[in-house]
Amino acid sequence: MRGRAVIPWVTVETLAPEGFSVASVGEAARDFGDWRRVLQRQLARTPALYDGLNTRDITEALRTSIEKAVELDKTFDTGSGPHRLMIRPVFGPAGEVHAVRWWAGPDPGPVVDPPAAVGATWDLDSQTLAQPVGVSALSGIAPEEYVPRISIAEFFHRVSAFDRHAEVLDLLYRPEPGGRMQFEVSMLRPAGRATRWRITIRARDDEHCRGAWWLIEDITSDDDPAVWPTLESVGLREAHRRAGNHLAVVQLANTSISHWLTDPAPWIRWDYLFRPVDVFHPDDRFRLVELGDRVRSGESTEVTVRALNYSGGYTPTTLLLYPYPGFSNRELAIAHLTRVRGDITAEETDPADRALPDRPIGYDDQLRYRLAGRLRHSTVR
């Protein structure tokens, strides 16, 4: 005799005030599907539910869970015996509800707990992604490397086999009502073990957020095959490494590094910063902004700035800037970064001349953990 089919959890995203939609049903993405239609379809697959539950009941329960940020667990009678409705909110970094998950079926019955999920918030002003401590429960994140905020460059650096960077940056840096995306990413771990996340994003520009709310679902499966980088990506990265090339995507208007196209420049501290703009000296940032018009017109240009290094000082670095092809916002540039050779400047060596703020500039404990080599992330993306 065949076992009874496992009823899937339905994940309803609540990322923007214009309304919510279905992000996923079980392991299947729904790409902002109409939640009422999915609800009716799920009820139709379990006819007994109609004896004690209707769409209005579930709708009210979902709204209660969202508005009060609480779990709900309700048992009700049907002609086929007792049934159960469970609703579990997914919280963001400040305790906001970024999604709710619901399940309805026989009680008792085969219920598989939903995989881990968290909400995150992209704040455009700080250019950081705020994430709750619960993100450490997702596959691919070690508790020792958790920090409350990361840059988008750090997020991209963790993922592999991903080619929608420009779309993501377009949405994050120009948040407009209705802007949304859903995609999946892999993160390589030792021995080729892959972890998979499904990410749903909605842009926001309101009193709660100027940026975007995220929903991150862990969809890692033991059945997933090992993921290895392509021969092309390995070859290109190795060629750049041997040639000493360091290429990055730079947000000129926002004076930050958005993504490394090659291995990061080893003399630049770009990660574990409280503010991504601190990668460049405060007195040099305006020069990057001024070059925006030239790059947007299709020209290439060159500028030498001071880049933060891992000793807390600054290293003179030349950026050869090229237009980023096909980017709708036209705020991005491809930068070829070169460390200035010759005489070592006092700014690079003299601790008294670091020109750093009195407060710490980043998450130094986590940075030391990474630099010690205990995190073995692959550098091939």
Side-chain angles (χ1 to χ4, degrees):
M1 185 194 313
R2 291 185 178 180
R4 193 172 357 176
V6 176
I7 299 172
W9 286 80
V10 179
T11 301
V12 179
E13 58 84 13
T14 59
L15 300 173
E18 54 257 33
F20 43 82
S21 64
V22 176
S24 61
V25 177
E27 298 179 354
R30 282 296 181 265
D31 196 21
F32 303 97
D34 185 287
W35 69 276
R36 295 179 182 84
R37 195 171 304 160
V38 172
L39 170 58
Q40 292 169 354
R41 201 154 38 225
Q42 292 301 113
L43 289 177
R45 291 174 179 171
T46 313
L49 292 175
Y50 281 114
D51 292 346
L53 200 65
N54 56 42
T55 56
R56 178 180 296 177
D57 295 329
I58 296 181
T59 299
E60 291 179 355
L62 290 176
R63 293 193 183 279
T64 298
S65 180
I66 294 168
E67 293 171 1
K68 297 185 177 181
V70 295
E71 296 185 357
L72 295 179
D73 201 331
K74 178 182 178 182
T75 302
F76 52 94
D77 294 325
T78 74
S80 300
H83 278 60
R84 183 182 184 189
L85 171 65
M86 294 185 291
I87 301 178
R88 303 290 183 262
V90 177
F91 297 105
E96 324 94 327
V97 177
H98 284 226
V100 287
R101 293 162 143 182
W102 69 272
W103 182 95
D107 182 31
V111 183
V112 177
D113 289 336
V118 297
T121 301
W122 165 260
D123 176 64
L124 179 55
D125 292 336
S126 67
Q127 298 183 74
T128 57
L129 183 67
Q131 50 187 8
V133 68
V135 74
S136 299
L138 303 181
S139 301
I141 296 293
E144 295 84 357
E145 61 183 318
Y146 167 75
V147 291
R149 292 179 176 271
I150 63 172
S151 68
I152 192 63
E154 289 174 278
F155 171 78
F156 283 151
H157 198 64
R158 294 177 179 178
V159 306
S160 65
F162 183 66
D163 59 2
R164 300 181 66 184
H165 305 87
E167 293 178 68
V168 175
L169 293 172
D170 195 352
L171 185 150
L172 298 183
Y173 279 88
R174 288 287 180 88
E176 298 178 355
R180 64 187 192 182
M181 284 186 70
Q182 186 177 73
F183 54 88
E184 295 179 4
V185 295
S186 295
M187 292 189 290
L188 288 180
R189 303 296 287 172
R193 179 177 176 268
T195 62
R196 296 282 295 170
W197 291 359
R198 177 182 298 121
I199 298 176
T200 306
I201 304 176
R202 279 191 186 266
R204 296 187 66 145
D205 189 1
D206 53 41
E207 68 276 12
H208 297 290
C209 174
R210 180 172 178 253
W213 276 19
W214 292 37
L215 168 66
I216 305 174
E217 300 176 78
D218 187 343
I219 57 173
T220 302
S221 170
D222 292 337
D223 297 329
D224 290 339
V227 175
W228 300 98
T230 64
L231 180 62
E232 179 184 25
S233 65
V234 171
L236 287 174
R237 177 140 328 228
E238 181 63 13
H240 282 301
R241 188 188 68 81
R242 290 178 177 270
N245 293 329
H246 300 286
L247 303 173
V249 176
V250 175
Q251 275 275 352
L252 291 179
N254 299 89
T255 64
S256 63
I257 294 174
S258 296
H259 176 47
W260 287 100
L261 300 170
T262 62
D263 289 343
W267 68 90
I268 296 178
R269 178 176 178 179
W270 59 278
D271 48 353
Y272 290 107
L273 295 173
F274 295 146
R275 305 189 324 143
V277 296
D278 285 336
V279 69
F280 298 117
H281 193 285
D283 295 339
D284 292 340
R285 294 171 198 160
F286 76 95
R287 301 171 66 196
L288 293 173
V289 176
E290 290 178 342
L291 292 173
D293 288 340
R294 293 183 61 180
V295 174
R296 281 190 293 269
S297 69
E299 297 181 43
S300 61
T301 187
E302 186 175 283
V303 63
T304 297
V305 297
R306 288 159 288 184
L308 186 68
N309 59 44
Y310 286 101
S311 298
Y314 290 91
T315 300
T317 301
T318 296
L319 277 63
L320 181 57
L321 300 167
Y322 302 89
Y324 189 102
F327 190 68
S328 61
N329 286 342
R330 302 180 64 81
E331 291 182 350
L332 296 183
I334 298 175
H336 181 248
L337 298 97
T338 306
R339 181 174 180 168
V340 174
R341 299 297 179 180
D343 294 336
I344 300 177
T345 67
E347 284 177 342
E348 188 172 358
T349 60
D350 185 358
D353 195 24
R354 290 177 181 174
L356 292 174
D358 294 334
R359 61 176 175 78
I361 203 165
Y363 303 100
D364 292 339
D365 289 342
Q366 290 84 352
L367 176 65
R368 282 190 289 269
Y369 181 84
R370 183 182 70 79
L371 294 179
R374 289 191 290 268
L375 295 180
R376 301 295 184 183
H377 291 288
S378 169
T379 59
V380 180
R381 307 296 177 202

Short mmCIF file of all heavy atoms in Angstrom, two decimals, residues 92-116:
data_model
loop_
_atom_site.label_atom_id
_atom_site.label_comp_id
_atom_site.label_asym_id
_atom_site.label_seq_id
_atom_site.Cartn_x
_atom_site.Cartn_y
_atom_site.Cartn_z
N GLY A 92 12.07 39.12 10.11
CA GLY A 92 13.20 39.87 9.63
C GLY A 92 14.08 40.32 10.77
O GLY A 92 13.84 39.98 11.94
N PRO A 93 15.11 41.13 10.50
CA PRO A 93 16.09 41.51 11.52
C PRO A 93 15.52 42.36 12.64
O PRO A 93 16.09 42.38 13.74
CB PRO A 93 17.15 42.27 10.72
CG PRO A 93 16.45 42.71 9.48
CD PRO A 93 15.46 41.65 9.17
N ALA A 94 14.44 43.07 12.42
CA ALA A 94 13.86 43.90 13.47
C ALA A 94 12.55 43.32 14.01
O ALA A 94 11.76 44.02 14.63
CB ALA A 94 13.62 45.32 12.95
N GLY A 95 12.33 42.03 13.76
CA GLY A 95 11.13 41.38 14.25
C GLY A 95 9.92 41.55 13.36
O GLY A 95 8.80 41.16 13.73
N GLU A 96 10.09 42.12 12.17
CA GLU A 96 8.97 42.26 11.25
C GLU A 96 8.69 40.91 10.58
O GLU A 96 9.56 40.06 10.45
CB GLU A 96 9.28 43.29 10.16
CG GLU A 96 10.10 44.49 10.60
CD GLU A 96 11.59 44.29 10.35
OE1 GLU A 96 12.05 43.12 10.45
OE2 GLU A 96 12.28 45.27 10.08
N VAL A 97 7.45 40.73 10.16
CA VAL A 97 7.07 39.49 9.48
C VAL A 97 7.31 39.66 7.98
O VAL A 97 6.67 40.46 7.31
CB VAL A 97 5.59 39.15 9.76
CG1 VAL A 97 5.19 37.90 8.98
CG2 VAL A 97 5.37 38.94 11.25
N HIS A 98 8.25 38.90 7.45
CA HIS A 98 8.57 38.94 6.03
C HIS A 98 7.81 37.88 5.23
O HIS A 98 7.75 37.95 4.01
CB HIS A 98 10.07 38.76 5.82
CG HIS A 98 10.87 39.97 6.14
ND1 HIS A 98 11.88 40.45 5.32
CD2 HIS A 98 10.82 40.83 7.20
CE1 HIS A 98 12.41 41.53 5.86
NE2 HIS A 98 11.79 41.78 7.00
N ALA A 99 7.27 36.90 5.93
CA ALA A 99 6.48 35.85 5.28
C ALA A 99 5.75 35.06 6.35
O ALA A 99 6.08 35.11 7.54
CB ALA A 99 7.38 34.91 4.46
N VAL A 100 4.72 34.33 5.93
CA VAL A 100 4.07 33.35 6.79
C VAL A 100 3.99 32.04 6.02
O VAL A 100 3.84 32.03 4.80
CB VAL A 100 2.66 33.79 7.24
CG1 VAL A 100 2.74 34.90 8.26
CG2 VAL A 100 1.81 34.22 6.05
N ARG A 101 4.11 30.94 6.77
CA ARG A 101 3.97 29.62 6.17
C ARG A 101 2.78 28.93 6.81
O ARG A 101 2.61 28.97 8.03
CB ARG A 101 5.25 28.81 6.42
CG ARG A 101 6.44 29.37 5.68
CD ARG A 101 7.72 28.86 6.26
NE ARG A 101 8.71 28.62 5.23
CZ ARG A 101 9.91 28.13 5.43
NH1 ARG A 101 10.29 27.80 6.65
NH2 ARG A 101 10.74 27.96 4.44
N TRP A 102 1.96 28.30 5.96
CA TRP A 102 0.81 27.62 6.51
C TRP A 102 0.69 26.20 5.98
O TRP A 102 1.15 25.89 4.88
CB TRP A 102 -0.48 28.41 6.25
CG TRP A 102 -0.92 28.48 4.80
CD1 TRP A 102 -0.56 29.40 3.88
CD2 TRP A 102 -1.82 27.58 4.15
NE1 TRP A 102 -1.18 29.15 2.68
CE2 TRP A 102 -1.96 28.03 2.82
CE3 TRP A 102 -2.53 26.45 4.55
CZ2 TRP A 102 -2.77 27.39 1.89
CZ3 TRP A 102 -3.34 25.80 3.62
CH2 TRP A 102 -3.45 26.27 2.31
N TRP A 103 0.11 25.36 6.81
CA TRP A 103 -0.12 23.94 6.48
C TRP A 103 -1.46 23.55 7.04
O TRP A 103 -1.83 23.90 8.16
CB TRP A 103 0.98 23.09 7.11
CG TRP A 103 0.90 21.62 6.80
CD1 TRP A 103 1.54 20.94 5.82
CD2 TRP A 103 0.14 20.63 7.53
NE1 TRP A 103 1.23 19.60 5.87
CE2 TRP A 103 0.36 19.38 6.92
CE3 TRP A 103 -0.72 20.70 8.63
CZ2 TRP A 103 -0.24 18.21 7.36
CZ3 TRP A 103 -1.33 19.53 9.07
CH2 TRP A 103 -1.08 18.30 8.44
N ALA A 104 -2.21 22.81 6.26
CA ALA A 104 -3.51 22.32 6.72
C ALA A 104 -3.67 20.87 6.27
O ALA A 104 -3.43 20.54 5.11
CB ALA A 104 -4.65 23.17 6.18
N GLY A 105 -4.06 19.99 7.21
CA GLY A 105 -4.22 18.59 6.87
C GLY A 105 -4.70 17.79 8.06
O GLY A 105 -5.03 18.34 9.12
N PRO A 106 -4.79 16.47 7.90
CA PRO A 106 -5.31 15.61 8.97
C PRO A 106 -4.47 15.70 10.24
O PRO A 106 -3.26 15.89 10.19
CB PRO A 106 -5.21 14.20 8.35
CG PRO A 106 -5.15 14.42 6.87
CD PRO A 106 -4.43 15.71 6.68
N ASP A 107 -5.14 15.54 11.37
CA ASP A 107 -4.47 15.54 12.67
C ASP A 107 -4.88 14.26 13.41
O ASP A 107 -6.06 14.09 13.76
CB ASP A 107 -4.89 16.77 13.47
CG ASP A 107 -4.18 16.84 14.81
OD1 ASP A 107 -3.03 16.36 14.89
OD2 ASP A 107 -4.78 17.38 15.76
N PRO A 108 -3.98 13.32 13.68
CA PRO A 108 -2.56 13.40 13.33
C PRO A 108 -2.33 13.06 11.86
O PRO A 108 -3.16 12.40 11.23
CB PRO A 108 -1.94 12.35 14.24
CG PRO A 108 -3.03 11.32 14.40
CD PRO A 108 -4.33 12.11 14.43
N GLY A 109 -1.21 13.50 11.35
CA GLY A 109 -0.87 13.24 9.96
C GLY A 109 0.60 13.48 9.73
O GLY A 109 1.29 14.02 10.61
N PRO A 110 1.10 13.08 8.57
CA PRO A 110 2.53 13.26 8.29
C PRO A 110 2.86 14.72 8.01
O PRO A 110 2.51 15.27 6.97
CB PRO A 110 2.77 12.40 7.04
CG PRO A 110 1.42 12.34 6.36
CD PRO A 110 0.40 12.41 7.46
N VAL A 111 3.50 15.37 8.97
CA VAL A 111 3.87 16.77 8.82
C VAL A 111 5.39 16.87 8.85
O VAL A 111 6.03 16.46 9.82
CB VAL A 111 3.28 17.65 9.94
CG1 VAL A 111 3.63 19.12 9.69
CG2 VAL A 111 1.78 17.47 10.01
N VAL A 112 5.95 17.39 7.80
CA VAL A 112 7.40 17.63 7.73
C VAL A 112 7.64 19.10 8.02
O VAL A 112 7.05 19.97 7.38
CB VAL A 112 7.96 17.25 6.35
CG1 VAL A 112 9.45 17.57 6.28
CG2 VAL A 112 7.72 15.78 6.06
N ASP A 113 8.48 19.39 9.00
CA ASP A 113 8.76 20.78 9.32
C ASP A 113 9.31 21.51 8.10
O ASP A 113 10.12 20.95 7.33
CB ASP A 113 9.79 20.88 10.45
CG ASP A 113 9.22 20.45 11.79
OD1 ASP A 113 7.98 20.51 11.93
OD2 ASP A 113 10.00 20.03 12.65
N PRO A 114 8.91 22.75 7.89
CA PRO A 114 9.44 23.51 6.74
C PRO A 114 10.93 23.78 6.94
O PRO A 114 11.40 23.88 8.08
CB PRO A 114 8.63 24.80 6.76
CG PRO A 114 8.22 24.97 8.19
CD PRO A 114 8.01 23.58 8.72
N PRO A 115 11.68 23.89 5.85
CA PRO A 115 13.11 24.21 5.99
C PRO A 115 13.30 25.61 6.57
O PRO A 115 12.36 26.42 6.62
CB PRO A 115 13.64 24.12 4.56
CG PRO A 115 12.43 24.33 3.70
CD PRO A 115 11.29 23.74 4.45
N ALA A 116 14.50 25.87 7.02
CA ALA A 116 14.79 27.16 7.64
C ALA A 116 14.55 28.30 6.65
O ALA A 116 14.78 28.17 5.44
CB ALA A 116 16.24 27.19 8.13
#
